[in-house]
Amino acid sequence: MNYKVAVIPGDGIGPEIVREARKVLDKVGQKYGHEFTYQELLMGGCSIDAYGEPLTEETLEAAKASDSVLLGAVGGNVGQSNWYQLPPDKRPEAGLLKIRKGLELYANIRPAVLFDELSGACPLKPELTEGGFDFVVMRELTGGLYFGDRKTVEENGVKKAIDTLTYDENEIRRIAKWGFDVAMKRGKKVCSVDKANVLDSSRLWRSVVAKDYPEVELTHMLVDNCAMQLVRDPKQFDVILTENMFGDILSDEASMVTGSIGMLSSASLGATKLGLYEPSHGSAPDLAGQDKANPIATILSAAMMLRYSFDLEKEADAIENAVKQVLKDGYRTIDIMDEGKTQVGTIQMGDLIAERI
Ligand code: NAD
């Protein structure tokens, strides 16, 4: 089977980490008899330099025509780069918003995985995280408070700001479906998070996130409780399903409890199988070109692409197991380095993971 992958290395460490993910994908292809063909596209600062804008229509069309998109990261050093003299809609990060919108991606998945071998990086007490944890935050990406009408008015000399939080049942149903589909490929548990004791939008959310998947255990939790449970007992979660703003906050909290930014992958999905897969971190300009960046978040994002866009389950497992094995064998990039371990660079980390596929 041939899969057409649009590859967007981007800026900073982007090209280095994407190169390692391709190396691992190629090894998967060899081993399991698939062919991945790549089309390299420019987005972010490098696209500004080449075309004067962070994402051209041609690039967007090429991404749409692919089976899936693998992205590194975009952006430069905000204090120093000329890209940040441009108006906000012409800066590198504007490319990200435009591609997510152009590909009609409305579901964002951010896994929070604590590998047992990296438990030292987790800020929680060891007894809470023994054996590691592995859950995902599934966040609705295109509705809610961030996209509702807003205005600031003045009444009787007093300024008043109004933001509106809107969801319709179709928006809720389509993200819930992704939540359940992802749970079916994982631990078959969905915890839907809302504020149904206060908000109408949450009451609608709760009524729509119904139990159409008899094999999946569905629970509901209030967002304030969820924020506490994430640091009290993160092992209880499999899929946390929630609306845009709650997901924004909870996914950052969840990534903090893992403690290692270079390890965290992410995926954005829409109505079709085409998804956008990228590490959760940025372009780390401080590390660019030094063979120091941790490529694991990008490699794990490629594994998610195999699982969610291509339904290649055992191939995705092979990548995840190879990452675990490399950690078990004691290899670390500088960001996750620990006493008694062997420090390796970006390229060697990619080689070690590819060897273990
Ligand atoms: P960042 O995630 O790039 O870096 C934060 C810190 O984490 C830095 O110390 C960096 O060295 C480290 N780090 C990040 N990724 C790492 C990796 N793979 N291995 C080892 N260490 C890693 O965030 P920032 O410094 O706030 O932003 C830098 C640039 O990235 C900015 O231009 C920002 O706008 C952009 N950015 C892009 C995205 C994206 O493309 N999705 C996301 C966030 C930030």
Side-chain angles (χ1 to χ4, degrees):
M1 187 79 186
N2 186 311
Y3 300 94
K4 254 173 44 192
V5 182
V7 175
I8 305 181
D11 308 312
I13 59 170
E16 298 166 62
I17 53 182
V18 162
R19 185 190 55 219
E20 300 313 308
R22 277 180 60 165
K23 188 187 282 174
V24 173
L25 279 175
D26 286 339
K27 185 70 189 291
V28 168
Q30 262 175 34
K31 175 110 192 254
Y32 292 89
H34 308 297
E35 195 182 341
F36 300 104
T37 44
Y38 308 102
Q39 183 180 15
E40 285 228 1
L41 303 171
L42 295 187
M43 190 175 92
C46 55
S47 174
I48 298 174
D49 292 343
Y51 308 118
E53 48 183 308
L55 177 69
T56 64
E57 283 309 316
E58 292 74 30
T59 305
L60 180 58
E61 287 311 312
K64 280 184 187 168
S66 71
D67 294 325
S68 229
V69 183
L70 182 66
L71 169 68
V74 298
N77 191 317
V78 179
Q80 290 169 12
S81 166
N82 286 339
W83 298 327
Y84 298 94
Q85 309 297 326
L86 297 165
D89 64 329
K90 297 282 179 215
R91 292 179 190 174
E93 293 75 11
L96 279 174
L97 300 179
K98 188 171 168 191
I99 198 166
R100 289 194 185 122
K101 191 157 183 247
L103 298 176
E104 296 175 47
L105 304 172
Y106 56 77
N108 181 252
I109 313 179
R110 269 175 56 181
V113 182
L114 180 68
F115 294 96
D116 210 12
E117 293 76 16
L118 299 183
S119 55
C122 175
L124 303 182
K125 285 186 188 151
E127 58 267 33
L128 298 178
T129 59
E130 210 191 327
F133 54 76
D134 177 353
F135 63 91
V136 304
V137 178
M138 160 82 58
R139 164 189 173 191
E140 203 287 329
L141 214 49
T142 59
L145 204 53
Y146 296 171
F147 290 88
D149 289 338
R150 73 189 51 149
K151 62 181 172 186
T152 303
V153 295
E154 197 162 324
E155 284 172 7
N156 304 324
V158 178
K159 277 196 189 144
K160 183 160 105 176
I162 303 159
D163 294 291
T164 37
L165 200 179
T166 318
Y167 270 108
D168 72 37
E169 53 186 313
N170 294 329
E171 290 171 307
I172 301 169
R173 199 166 287 120
R174 65 183 192 174
I175 180 86
K177 182 173 182 316
W178 262 122
F180 285 105
D181 283 348
V182 166
M184 285 296 287
K185 290 177 182 256
R186 297 178 39 93
K188 297 196 170 69
K189 275 166 60 181
V190 169
C191 176
S192 173
V193 172
D194 60 39
K195 189 71 183 167
N197 54 341
V198 179
L199 301 174
D200 260 8
S201 56
S202 281
R203 284 189 273 272
L204 180 66
W205 181 279
R206 199 175 272 219
S207 71
V208 173
V209 180
K211 199 169 164 41
D212 318 340
Y213 288 67
E215 288 167 73
V216 177
E217 179 195 321
L218 171 66
T219 53
H220 298 275
M221 191 179 276
L222 295 175
V223 62
D224 39 350
N225 186 20
C226 184
M228 292 193 286
Q229 295 298 329
L230 279 174
V231 290
R232 200 191 68 87
D233 179 18
K235 285 196 273 186
Q236 70 184 284
F237 295 113
D238 178 28
V239 176
I240 292 175
L241 169 66
T242 193
E243 62 93 58
N244 200 348
M245 182 179 62
F246 297 158
D248 186 10
I249 299 166
L250 294 177
S251 59
D252 269 16
E253 186 188 354
S255 58
M256 264 319 290
V257 290
T258 72
S260 313
I261 190 165
M263 303 289 298
L264 297 172
S265 52
S266 90
S268 301
L269 302 161
T272 67
K273 282 282 185 185
L274 195 166
L276 176 73
Y277 298 86
E278 58 181 317
S280 295
H281 59 73
S283 60
D286 53 323
L287 298 182
Q290 301 169 47
D291 193 38
K292 280 186 181 162
N294 185 348
I296 294 180
T298 317
I299 291 170
L300 291 174
S301 302
M304 288 178 87
M305 178 172 80
L306 300 186
R307 174 164 287 124
Y308 297 123
S309 282
F310 304 156
D311 290 318
L312 298 175
E313 293 289 334
K314 60 178 187 308
E315 290 83 344
D317 286 346
I319 296 182
E320 288 163 3
N321 289 334
V323 168
K324 278 183 203 151
Q325 192 56 49
V326 166
L327 296 174
K328 213 177 200 168
D329 294 343
Y331 296 103
R332 304 281 188 273
T333 42
I334 192 167
D335 57 310
I336 51 173
M337 188 55 195
D338 220 346
E339 236 181 277
K341 305 297 176 196
T342 311
Q343 190 174 316
V344 296
T346 313
I347 298 172
Q348 200 185 345
M349 182 54 95
D351 287 342
L352 290 164
I353 295 168
E355 273 167 24
R356 284 161 179 74
I357 297 289

